[in-house]
Amino acid sequence: MPSVVDCPIVLRQEVAEGHYRISVQAPGIARVAKPGQFAMLQVSGGYAPFLRRPMSIERIFSDGVSFLFKVEGEGTRLLAEMDTGHNLSVHGPLGNGFTIDTVCDRHILVAGGIGVAPLPALAERVKRDCGKAPDVIIAARTERLLLCEDDFRRMGCAIHITTDDGSAGEKALATGMLERLAPDARTCVYACGPNPMLRAVSQMMLDAGVMCLVSLEAQMACGDGACLGCVIESKSEIEGEKMLRVCKDGPVFDASLIDWAAHDLRDDQ
Amino acid sequence: MSVSLEINLGGLHMKNPVTVASGTFGYGQEYDAYFDVAQLGAVTTKSLTLKPRAGNKPPRLVETPAGMLNAIGLQNVGLEAYLEHKLPFLRQKDVPIIANIYGHGPDEYAELARLLEEKGGADAIEANLSCPNVHDAKSSRGTVLVAQDPELVCAYTKTIRSATSLPLYVKLTPNVATIVEPALAAQEGGADAVSLINTLIGMAIDPETRRPRLANIVGGLSGPCIRPVAVKMVWDAARALDIPVIGMGGICSTEDAVQFFLAGASAVALGSMSFRQPDAAIRVVNGLADYLEGHELSGIAALVGGMAQ
């Protein structure tokens, strides 16, 4: 069950230019959180900004969780300014999280930019449940924006790096690297990143008959499935609903459910 | 001193004067993890239509200074699924249900009200004559929200009134020159109370892409930024009406709620604040008891319309 708790910030790091990690002490949330779930973080004691900010849970520890985020606007700027010791109001864990199919032989995680945020917790869980750390594709614009490489390495993941400018790893898109890894029917792919990347990865995996889970991002107000502000269109009706709530029905979806043609990519530049 | 928060809202007995604004609380179950919704004076449902509605295309939501714009477009499960899947949770909670309804034309509202009463799906009806995100009412002035035309408000209210014996509340829009006319029209049509205010119509544009932030272009503004407008409209309406006013619009705290009572509201609803703080409504219930006790008042009635001048 989710709850709303004031959690002391125990660590704050700038992990790359404009990218931050915040760890909070939150044993109750850590106990029930699953990889792929998120929390709504209150960024201001006042009412501007008014709404909480949804953030993926990056890692789940015994006594707390961490969040990884990029400063995009006022809310994330305020969050990045919070120092250790500050009590952060955390509402979570929310959403469904990743389901790990332990029957699969191979697990490939695909991270695009800050979309890496929910994947370290997933990599740890895959390693625990399947006995082997997953492959991880980390795609970034440029070398200094590569995130979590050391964390995945410490877990024993096989890491495949691509950058748009070739400053690290291969000059390629995540899809190019994914193709090279030749996922097959016994592979499960988990992706999080910009919508154009998710759309391309989904299409490729659907065509290849590979199980693919994607974690989506959306503007949210409540995080609890009440406001219906964060919906995406699905290809088919699920229990009579054509609109899926990213917060409650997701944020992790089977890629085959999403109607990418209807999906508005306006915010993805 | 023992205080009682009990009220009678146009024929509906409530253990306290606090409900939630339609569309901000789902069908109640969404908030079950945070508090026992039976502690509320009433639960007001998301707008119900006869048939399910998919709502508007995303993006449906954008944050604005001290508030938010939404253009959900009345996405809801429809009456049948409400009765089958949503109502059982609320009924086992022993909390009055205010069913918010939306129809195409007065007859559809009346049909919804009639069916809800017949099937035990509501203890009161709130007719949403003021959704800013759907546009299907026609009048001599062209396409308007029903609540922008007092004649339509009166006619719709009469039709719904004749279809149900449940307490009937009419939810009005602030997007008018004066709130008094539509409020009086609702009263004349037989409403037992009016709900003030629905959202203010607004829009936001992305300066980089030059596109509207909402797929629907325009949306409804809510949150603390609209509170002063709401307080003023409640004050205007309450002085003109004989029926009670349910005040809503940016209430975040007990102090905010007290403002609405002082302006003349007999009950209040929390809206967008539940998004930020899921148990906000129950905090106000508890806060009101403390406020009354601290000010040595025996009940809410002692506050209603009590602004000092």
Side-chain angles (χ1 to χ4, degrees), chain A residues 2 4 42 44-47 49-53 91 94 219-222 224 226-229 231 233 241 243 266, chain B residues 23 26 30-31 33-34 46 54 56-58 60-61 63 66-67 72 75 77 211-212 224 252 272-273 275-278:
Chain A
V4 182
Q42 188 172 304
S44 165
Y47 295 131
F50 179 59
L51 299 172
R52 290 170 182 262
R53 295 294 183 269
H91 171 199
L94 300 165
Q219 295 256 14
M220 291 179 191
C222 69
D224 281 311
C227 76
L228 308 177
V231 299
E233 288 182 63
E241 292 282 358
M243 295 292 188
R266 65 172 63 186
Chain B
E30 289 84 344
Y31 287 84
Y34 309 102
K46 171 80 184 160
N56 291 329
K57 284 191 173 297
R60 292 174 167 186
L61 189 71
E63 185 160 10
I72 308 301
Q75 178 184 338
V77 297
R211 301 177 70 178
C252 297
S272 307
M273 186 59 185
F275 299 153
R276 171 175 164 126
Q277 186 65 39

Side-chain angles (χ1 to χ4, degrees), chain A residues 2 6 10-11 30 49 57 69 71 75 84 87 95-96 100 106-107 120 124 128-129 147 154 158 185 200 226 228 259:
Chain A
D6 283 341
V10 293
L11 176 140
I57 294 173
F69 60 94
V71 173
T84 52
N87 268 328
N96 58 0
I100 299 168
R106 197 173 175 208
H107 302 268
E124 275 185 320
R128 191 194 78 181
D129 292 356
L147 303 170
R154 275 196 291 273
L228 308 177
D259 184 356

Side-chain angles (χ1 to χ4, degrees), chain B residues 60-111:
Chain B
R60 292 174 167 186
L61 189 71
V62 58
E63 185 160 10
T64 55
M68 55 179 275
L69 280 167
N70 87 80
I72 308 301
L74 297 182
Q75 178 184 338
N76 80 100
V77 297
L79 180 66
E80 198 180 311
Y82 163 75
L83 293 170
E84 195 175 334
H85 302 301
K86 307 296 182 186
L87 183 61
F89 168 81
L90 286 171
R91 279 304 179 212
Q92 57 143 6
K93 279 295 176 189
D94 188 30
V95 64
I97 302 168
I98 301 172
N100 183 292
I101 58 171
Y102 179 86
H104 296 277
D107 294 340
E108 207 170 293
Y109 280 97
E111 179 71 354

